[in-house]
Amino acid sequence: MRGMAVPMLMLMVSPVMVSAQSNVPPAALSDTQLPDARQEAEARALMETLRCLVCQGQSIADSDADLAGDMRALVRRRIAAGEQPEAIRAWLVQRYGSWVSYDPPLDAVTWPLWALPLLLLVIGAVVARGSLKRRSRR
């Protein structure tokens, strides 16, 4: 009876796994490179700097998420239409927020992201200096 538990569990879970897959076909340019090598290089460089909103730890260039594929297709379509990468980035930031960019602009919302590393360095230097002073007094 115990030997049947794992196969039965797999039979029960497999329909859930299959239904979790998207039935929507990928966007036309999500996995297809542009014919113009210069445009593809521009699109690829931009895609490397944009965060996948589903995976969060990957760029849209590296993600397999459907939304990342749609964003890759959008970037390629706009690059092929002659739009500048910074204009595309600005549109995506306006639509999804500055979090979509791996290099968020310095503004009222993101200043802690920029200030925190510097603050931690200063605190570390103060702690290290205090520790060294105590050692030298002994």
Side-chain angles (χ1 to χ4, degrees), residues 53 89-101 104-105:
L53 299 172
R89 175 193 305 287
W91 184 84
L92 287 167
V93 166
Q94 181 182 10
R95 181 168 184 168
Y96 297 111
S98 59
W99 196 79
V100 75
S101 175

Side-chain angles (χ1 to χ4, degrees), residues 6-138:
V6 172
M8 292 300 286
L9 180 63
M10 292 302 289
L11 284 173
M12 290 173 22
V13 172
S14 62
V16 173
M17 292 170 50
V18 169
S19 67
Q21 299 296 321
S22 175
N23 293 330
V24 178
L29 291 173
S30 66
D31 298 316
T32 304
Q33 294 185 356
L34 293 171
D36 183 345
R38 184 192 57 79
Q39 286 181 333
E40 179 61 29
E42 278 184 347
R44 188 76 178 166
L46 177 58
M47 289 185 280
E48 291 289 338
T49 66
L50 297 171
R51 183 186 319 268
C52 174
L53 299 172
V54 176
C55 304
Q56 300 178 3
Q58 291 181 305
S59 70
I60 64 170
D62 300 327
S63 175
D64 290 332
D66 291 340
L67 180 61
D70 292 343
M71 291 173 75
R72 285 192 303 270
L74 178 130
V75 167
R76 285 186 173 118
R77 275 195 311 271
R78 288 183 167 215
I79 291 284
E83 197 169 338
Q84 294 299 313
E86 284 309 311
I88 299 167
R89 175 193 305 287
W91 184 84
L92 287 167
V93 166
Q94 181 182 10
R95 181 168 184 168
Y96 297 111
S98 59
W99 196 79
V100 75
S101 175
Y102 275 122
D103 187 19
L106 181 59
D107 61 19
V109 175
T110 61
W111 75 264
L113 293 173
W114 294 98
L116 189 61
L118 296 174
L119 181 64
L120 291 174
L121 280 173
V122 169
I123 291 170
V126 168
V127 168
R129 185 174 181 206
S131 177
L132 289 174
K133 277 187 175 183
R134 277 182 287 204
R135 281 188 183 173
S136 66
R137 287 187 202 159
R138 290 183 185 175

